[in-house]
Amino acid sequence: MEPRMDAGTKKTRKLRNSQSFKDHVSGYLYIAPFFILFGIFTLFPILWSAQISFYSWNILGNKEFIGFQNFIWLLTDDPRFWKAVGNTFTLWIISTIPQLFFALVLATVLNQSMLKGKALFRTAALIPNVTSLVAVAVIFGSIFGTHYGILNWLLSQLGFDKFNWLASYWGAQFAVALMVTWRWLGYNAIIYLAALQSIPSDIYEAARIDGASRVQQFFNITIPMMRPIILFTVIVSTVGGMQLFVEPMIFAGDQGGSKGQVLTMVLYLYTTAFTNNQFGYASAIAWLMFLIIVAFSVFNFYLTRKINSAD
């Protein structure tokens, strides 16, 4: 049999429950703006694109339901899409791998105690990442221009013929990869620099006493102790490389060059939606691209666990 509560106890419990309810409501009100904006600008477009991927729609006329036909065309009868996939992977390989390696080298140099003006060099490393895209277009247009580019001027001074970088497949790929590397090298170097500064200096001192050279210290101490950060930058760079858009758009236009030399998945998605007005087909491209990125993320996660379990 439950004990009887007097009026004062009931009133106290009622006030406590009321205050608890107000606390919960105020908490939800504080976080509500994020969820409202997320629902309007992120969740709704995702669900909407999933719906219209099953339609043939040019945004002006009526939508025609065609089921999985957009995906079937994309997988079996669209060589331009698969060319964009191949270009995306190629650009990722020739830009991300050298970029992360040189970022690690740059971070090691910036971490040297004998270096003067460290703050200036560290600030300069981030400048490309915050530079206006218009300025980037002007800079690399001046470097890789066919008739008045700096590189072609150097080639002519050495006695070689001028090279049409944009018309060449590998020339355009190299130019865009260099643009990506230039833009993100300093950003990754600063991340690596923060990781380097967390490594105890006693370890390097012990290695020097044992006769280890700087190269041996780099490969046997620095890289193993920075492995989690390196894996993090690899994963982030992989996701970013699969979404490459700005650099090829600036260098070669929305078609990725006359023969699609630097056409990427996102650039093809943009062209399909906003140039050809095929919004249903563009939504199918977006979802297939999403699945490719998820597959790579899962592979990176598996690779990370495999490497960590090997320790």
Side-chain angles (χ1 to χ4, degrees), residues 101-155:
F101 174 76
F102 286 115
L104 186 56
V105 173
L106 178 60
T108 304
V109 173
L110 293 176
N111 195 45
Q112 298 301 311
S113 58
M114 64 185 70
L115 182 66
K116 303 298 182 182
K118 290 182 181 180
L120 177 63
F121 287 114
R122 292 171 184 177
T123 303
L126 275 178
I127 289 177
N129 189 245
V130 298
T131 302
S132 168
L133 294 178
V134 176
V136 173
V138 172
I139 291 170
F140 281 87
S142 300
I143 294 174
F144 292 99
T146 303
H147 300 291
Y148 305 105
I150 297 173
L151 282 181
N152 275 339
W153 178 80
L154 290 174
L155 289 175

Side-chain angles (χ1 to χ4, degrees), residues 189-257:
I190 295 300
I191 295 176
Y192 288 155
L193 179 61
L196 281 171
Q197 292 177 342
S198 67
I199 301 176
S201 59
D202 297 343
I203 299 178
Y204 290 104
E205 297 239 357
R208 280 194 292 269
I209 293 173
D210 290 338
S213 65
R214 288 187 178 274
V215 175
Q216 289 174 325
Q217 293 175 36
F218 181 77
F219 285 102
N220 295 312
I221 297 176
T222 303
I223 291 182
M225 297 199 70
M226 289 183 59
R227 187 170 1 185
I229 301 300
I230 292 173
L231 291 174
F232 166 76
T233 56
V234 168
I235 293 173
V236 172
S237 298
T238 298
V239 175
M242 295 295 104
Q243 300 177 8
L244 191 61
F245 170 72
V246 175
E247 288 81 1
M249 177 73 171
I250 290 174
F251 184 74
D254 60 359
Q255 299 298 321

Side-chain angles (χ1 to χ4, degrees), residues 23-292:
D23 291 340
H24 280 82
V25 170
S26 63
Y28 285 122
L29 288 176
Y30 280 122
I31 64 175
F34 165 78
F35 286 101
I36 292 173
L37 294 174
F38 175 81
I40 295 174
F41 295 105
T42 302
L43 184 60
F44 173 73
I46 289 174
L47 297 177
W48 177 249
S49 69
Q51 179 188 357
I52 64 174
S53 66
F54 297 103
Y55 288 83
S56 175
W57 185 42
N58 64 358
I59 208 173
L60 297 177
N62 295 326
K63 292 185 292 186
E64 179 186 356
F65 181 78
I66 57 175
F68 287 94
Q69 194 60 50
N70 281 328
F71 294 94
I72 294 173
W73 286 334
L74 191 59
L75 293 171
T76 62
D77 195 28
D78 192 350
R80 191 167 173 80
F81 170 74
W82 293 111
K83 184 172 187 177
V85 173
N87 288 341
T88 303
F89 279 98
T90 305
L91 286 168
W92 177 80
I93 291 171
I94 64 178
S95 64
T96 300
I97 296 175
Q99 172 200 145
L100 295 181
F101 174 76
F102 286 115
L104 186 56
V105 173
L106 178 60
T108 304
V109 173
L110 293 176
N111 195 45
Q112 298 301 311
S113 58
M114 64 185 70
L115 182 66
K116 303 298 182 182
K118 290 182 181 180
L120 177 63
F121 287 114
R122 292 171 184 177
T123 303
L126 275 178
I127 289 177
N129 189 245
V130 298
T131 302
S132 168
L133 294 178
V134 176
V136 173
V138 172
I139 291 170
F140 281 87
S142 300
I143 294 174
F144 292 99
T146 303
H147 300 291
Y148 305 105
I150 297 173
L151 282 181
N152 275 339
W153 178 80
L154 290 174
L155 289 175
S156 64
Q157 295 299 309
L158 295 173
F160 296 100
D161 294 331
K162 291 183 178 179
F163 187 73
N164 192 338
W165 296 93
L166 183 57
S168 168
Y169 175 81
W170 287 111
Q173 292 263 325
F174 171 75
V176 172
L178 186 61
M179 195 183 303
V180 174
T181 302
W182 178 81
R183 189 179 179 197
W184 294 103
L185 176 66
Y187 173 84
N188 287 303
I190 295 300
I191 295 176
Y192 288 155
L193 179 61
L196 281 171
Q197 292 177 342
S198 67
I199 301 176
S201 59
D202 297 343
I203 299 178
Y204 290 104
E205 297 239 357
R208 280 194 292 269
I209 293 173
D210 290 338
S213 65
R214 288 187 178 274
V215 175
Q216 289 174 325
Q217 293 175 36
F218 181 77
F219 285 102
N220 295 312
I221 297 176
T222 303
I223 291 182
M225 297 199 70
M226 289 183 59
R227 187 170 1 185
I229 301 300
I230 292 173
L231 291 174
F232 166 76
T233 56
V234 168
I235 293 173
V236 172
S237 298
T238 298
V239 175
M242 295 295 104
Q243 300 177 8
L244 191 61
F245 170 72
V246 175
E247 288 81 1
M249 177 73 171
I250 290 174
F251 184 74
D254 60 359
Q255 299 298 321
S258 57
K259 299 179 181 178
Q261 298 94 320
V262 289
L263 181 69
T264 61
M265 290 189 290
V266 179
L267 190 54
Y268 184 52
L269 166 64
Y270 171 85
T271 303
T272 303
F274 300 105
T275 302
N276 301 332
N277 294 326
Q278 298 176 351
F279 284 86
Y281 196 61
S283 297
I285 294 173
W287 277 94
L288 190 56
M289 187 179 73
F290 167 75
L291 294 177
I292 293 173

